[in-house]
Amino acid sequence: MTSATITGFRLPPAPDAPRLLAGWYATGRPASLSDHLRHYGPSPVSRTIGTRAAMPLPDALETAGLTGRGGAGFPTARKLRTVADGRRRAVVVVNAMESEPASRKDEFLLAVAPHLVLGGAVLAALAVGADTVHVCLPRTRSAQYQQLSAALAERRRARVDAVRLRLHGLPHTYVSSESTSLVRWLDGGPARPRGGPPRIEERGIDRRPTLLHNAETLAHVALVARYGPAWFRQAGTTEEPGTALLTVSGAVGVPGVLEVPLGTPLTTVLDLAGGPTEPLQAVLTGGFAGAWLGAARLHTPLSRRDLAPLGASPGAGVLVALPHSACGLAETARILAYLAAHSARQCGPCHFGLPAVAADFAALAAGRADRVLLDRLRRRTALLPDRGACRHPDGAARLAASALDAFADDVTRHLDDGACPAAHRPPRLAVPPATPPETWR
């Protein structure tokens, strides 16, 4: 099996010191359980965390500075401690839904190193006192479902796990990967965000404390448990240590999944992906709920600290390079239409606000807008954040606002002269059809 059959991308050349993808670069094939044990050794459950001194897993993760790689960047150790302190037996969930259309990192990681992810989930379960790990995949990925089923069967035959692992196939919508969506579905409801307190760490599945992490985060947990916090901190920055997986696409020579240290300049990441194939006008950071950064900002390091002042973040680990030959407004309009169609329709900002913003942006991209519409679009965009039952409207608003800033010259031209020629060219971003989900169950 090659990377192309797994992700639709080619894998760029190996970085200097791959971590999560080390086994893949060493063998060029997905790791079986025997491959995994040969490369990493047995699980550190019964021995010391790290190589120098005994340390409980939450303490090791706190010292390592590991944060979630699913988008929010929440401290991993803090989640573990909250769940472990609950009064009822905990539950662990592996979020492998990866509903972000521009991302393939978790899908790729699970395809080539499934036992690194599953082993990290088991370690987390033991640390919080859980007896069950739920692994959640989109049911549309039937091949990966079969592959993970085989991996779980390997683990059962080898008796390597002290907890039960269960695999689930869920509806694949944009918001079905939201943490409360997974909890709600596993409790027998629709895969829609629940919204509001309590947090799932306090009351999640079956009202039990629930630890939910995405696949990449749990793979990092497995490595910290084996090699210790000091090893983890050898990559990245002091404030944001470690590596991260990125899906790099668009106008680059080798689109694919990369593992890079946090703090790597965006230009370096693009060069690792084969470099730009055309002059770039912007890069989409973080995914469809992320932000556009103009070409002048591409020397910014890939870190939350450096991207935050620009209204951006690493988000779901996505970089999409947009060339000058494309229309950023038209590309953004298509993304906003998709986000509006995939809202949960449970609150006003999703049910009314997102379609209104998407319609206004489509008019701007098509050259059918005036200053009144632009003012209305800015006003509507500013009203969306912090008002929804989940963070879905916030991401759409961030994307729209960043596009109006990054493509400000195009906005003026579209208002004064109508749509630019690039707006009528074939799309450059792979955006799924803007059709509402067929089912939430």
Side-chain angles (χ1 to χ4, degrees):
M1 182 183 294
T2 67
S3 61
T5 63
I6 296 169
T7 68
F9 293 120
R10 292 175 291 163
L11 193 65
D16 291 338
R19 295 180 167 198
L20 300 174
L21 302 182
W24 169 256
Y25 280 117
T27 65
R29 68 171 187 268
S32 65
L33 181 58
S34 58
D35 292 332
H36 172 79
L37 294 175
R38 196 160 43 244
H39 187 87
Y40 295 105
S43 171
V45 170
S46 60
R47 58 187 180 85
T48 300
I49 297 292
T51 58
R52 293 185 181 273
M55 183 181 294
L57 184 60
D59 293 349
L61 296 174
E62 182 177 39
T63 304
L66 175 63
T67 56
R69 300 296 198 252
F74 196 80
T76 306
R78 195 182 305 172
K79 272 191 180 183
L80 259 72
R81 290 198 175 103
T82 300
V83 173
D85 289 343
R87 296 183 177 180
R88 301 184 63 195
R89 183 177 286 277
V91 184
V92 171
V93 178
V94 180
N95 185 354
M97 293 296 293
E98 198 164 33
S99 295
E100 165 57 53
S103 179
R104 295 291 184 275
K105 68 182 183 71
D106 287 334
E107 179 185 2
F108 184 83
L109 179 62
L110 269 171
V112 302
H115 297 287
L116 195 61
V117 176
L118 297 173
V122 170
L123 287 168
L126 294 173
V128 300
D131 59 357
T132 303
V133 173
H134 297 280
V135 183
C136 295
L137 283 176
R139 60 175 60 132
T140 52
R141 293 179 186 162
S142 57
Q144 186 152 59
Y145 189 95
Q146 293 172 5
Q147 182 201 21
L148 275 182
S149 294
L152 293 179
E154 276 188 290
R155 300 180 74 87
R156 283 193 294 270
R157 288 193 299 270
R159 300 180 182 273
V160 296
D161 299 320
V163 301
R164 180 176 59 167
L165 289 92
R166 298 183 58 191
L167 184 61
H168 306 273
L170 277 70
H172 199 198
T173 71
Y174 191 82
V175 296
S176 64
S177 63
E178 200 268 348
S179 60
T180 62
S181 294
L182 298 186
V183 167
R184 199 172 175 185
W185 189 89
L186 290 167
D187 269 341
R192 290 180 175 179
R194 184 178 66 193
R199 295 182 302 159
I200 67 168
E201 289 83 12
E202 299 165 350
R203 189 185 302 171
I205 298 168
D206 192 28
R207 303 173 70 85
R208 294 158 63 182
T210 299
L211 179 71
L212 186 147
H213 282 301
N214 84 308
E216 182 188 346
T217 305
L218 291 166
H220 283 296
V221 168
L223 293 182
V224 172
R226 280 177 166 82
Y227 303 129
W231 169 87
F232 185 77
R233 284 187 166 274
Q234 289 173 5
T237 69
T238 301
E239 292 189 358
E240 299 179 46
T243 63
L245 296 180
L246 297 176
T247 308
V248 187
S249 62
V252 292
V254 189
V257 177
L258 277 171
E259 183 177 6
V260 301
L262 288 170
T264 302
L266 298 181
T267 50
T268 301
V269 176
L270 296 174
D271 287 341
L272 290 171
T277 55
E278 302 177 44
L280 301 183
Q281 61 172 317
V283 168
L284 178 62
T285 61
F288 283 16
W292 290 104
L293 295 181
R297 294 172 168 173
L298 296 187
H299 290 283
T300 305
L302 181 79
S303 71
R304 291 184 176 277
R305 176 185 179 181
D306 292 289
L307 290 171
L310 307 178
S313 79
V318 168
L319 285 183
V320 184
L322 188 73
H324 275 289
S325 58
C327 175
L329 299 179
E331 301 290 349
T332 304
R334 294 172 54 245
I335 297 175
L336 290 172
Y338 170 83
L339 294 177
H342 275 246
S343 76
R345 302 180 189 86
Q346 298 182 131
C347 63
C350 263
H351 194 68
F352 302 108
L354 285 185
V357 167
D360 283 351
F361 216 101
L364 175 63
R368 294 184 279 100
D370 55 22
R371 298 285 174 180
V372 174
L373 184 145
L374 179 61
D375 290 342
R376 185 180 69 201
L377 173 59
R378 293 186 187 277
R379 189 167 58 252
R380 285 173 166 170
T381 299
L383 287 173
L384 285 179
D386 299 318
R387 292 174 179 266
C390 68
R391 293 294 179 184
H392 184 56
D394 302 46
R398 179 167 48 248
L399 177 74
S402 72
L404 295 177
D405 177 52
F407 309 119
D409 291 343
D410 291 333
V411 170
T412 301
R413 282 192 290 269
H414 278 231
L415 290 175
D416 295 342
D417 305 322
C420 62
H424 303 292
R425 293 173 186 153
R428 299 300 296 264
L429 272 66
V431 180
T435 54
E438 293 183 4
T439 179
W440 297 96
R441 293 185 180 273

